[in-house]
Amino acid sequence: AQKVTQAQTEISVVEKEDVTLDCVYETRDTTYYLFWYKQPPSGELVFLIRRNSFDEQNEISGRYSWNFQKSTSSFNFTITASQVVDSAVYFCALSEEYGNKLVFGAGTILRVKS
Amino acid sequence: DGGITQSPKYLFRKEGQNVTLSCEQNLNHDAMYWYRQDPGQGLRLIYYSQIVNDFQKGDIAEGYSVSREKKESFPLTVTSAQKNPTAFYLCASSPLRPTSGRTNAYEQYFGPGTRLTVT
């Protein structure tokens, strides 16, 4: 069975600090996909990134970066120079190759204080 | 603008009443989903549908029912059989086939959610 663990329930940082959100997953599939979503206070989930299991290259998008390591089954998300607008709940999710079902982690609440 | 709409944003019902949550999308997506979100538990899949007039149970389908009579619409009924209906409900949609590259993954797009309170 697939499982996603986000061990950090809540993180608080001061603006401009870097912060890393951890995601560890479990799957028996050789091909799978990993996602990160952001849920601001408004409630709607916003898609951030998708990564397939064959692509371990790290990705950077502005202040966001993702570190995928198959050896440790982790897909961590780093926000550089955090801002108050980054305050949200962040979810990591996993899907099988041809599935359309996402398995979500419990989420990490990020609070960025000014 | 293309997107997913859910109405209403807040819904209050008395225990024992059925209630239907609306979800409409104009993204021309084939697949639609319903999730339930409880504090500290992430999102759990209730039902999903890949094509009109067909749907499958997710992980927590008991006490819920759905219909898919139109591609754009996927209403969820929370029945009186659902023991703990108070929650935040999110609807999502996705293409049935990936939109880019060689991936076989599905990006899901979410609506703003409906917060249901049953007393």
Side-chain angles (χ1 to χ4, degrees), chain B:
Chain B
D1 287 351
I4 301 174
T5 57
Q6 292 185 244
S7 60
K9 181 73 173 175
Y10 299 94
L11 192 54
F12 298 89
R13 281 292 184 271
K14 297 238 182 249
E15 195 173 328
Q17 293 179 338
N18 291 355
V19 59
T20 297
L21 281 59
S22 165
C23 177
E24 304 277 334
Q25 56 100 358
N26 60 4
L27 300 168
N28 199 33
H29 286 167
D30 290 298
M32 296 187 73
Y33 317 80
W34 273 105
Y35 292 90
R36 169 182 172 137
Q37 184 178 13
D38 296 282
Q41 291 193 42
L43 278 69
R44 292 181 290 167
L45 183 65
I46 304 172
Y47 268 99
Y48 65 100
S49 167
Q50 292 182 283
I51 194 170
V52 173
N53 292 324
D54 188 45
F55 46 82
Q56 287 77 41
K57 293 181 179 180
D59 300 317
I60 55 166
E62 185 175 350
Y64 300 97
S65 66
V66 293
S67 63
R68 188 86 186 277
E69 297 178 0
K70 299 187 299 182
K71 185 176 182 178
E72 303 79 19
S73 179
F74 191 40
L76 172 74
T77 296
V78 184
T79 75
S80 56
Q82 169 49 233
K83 295 179 181 178
N84 296 297
T86 294
F88 187 52
Y89 291 88
L90 284 155
C91 178
S93 71
S94 74
L96 198 56
R97 291 291 178 263
T99 55
S100 63
R102 295 158 50 200
T103 182
N104 291 313
Y106 305 87
E107 293 169 26
Q108 295 186 17
Y109 298 84
F110 285 80
T114 292
R115 190 167 299 279
L116 173 65
T117 302
V118 176
T119 57

Side-chain angles (χ1 to χ4, degrees), chain A residues 32-75:
Chain A
Y32 51 90
Y33 295 84
L34 295 161
F35 303 78
W36 274 96
Y37 283 86
K38 174 183 179 179
Q39 186 179 38
S42 60
E44 182 173 341
L45 266 72
V46 177
F47 167 76
L48 296 178
I49 190 173
R50 174 192 63 223
R51 172 66 84 224
N52 74 55
S53 53
F54 293 110
D55 183 2
E56 290 192 69
Q57 194 169 21
N58 291 333
E59 181 159 340
I60 298 174
S61 176
R63 295 184 298 107
Y64 294 171
S65 63
W66 290 269
N67 183 291
F68 175 34
Q69 292 195 347
K70 285 181 76 172
S71 60
T72 56
S73 296
S74 65
F75 186 43

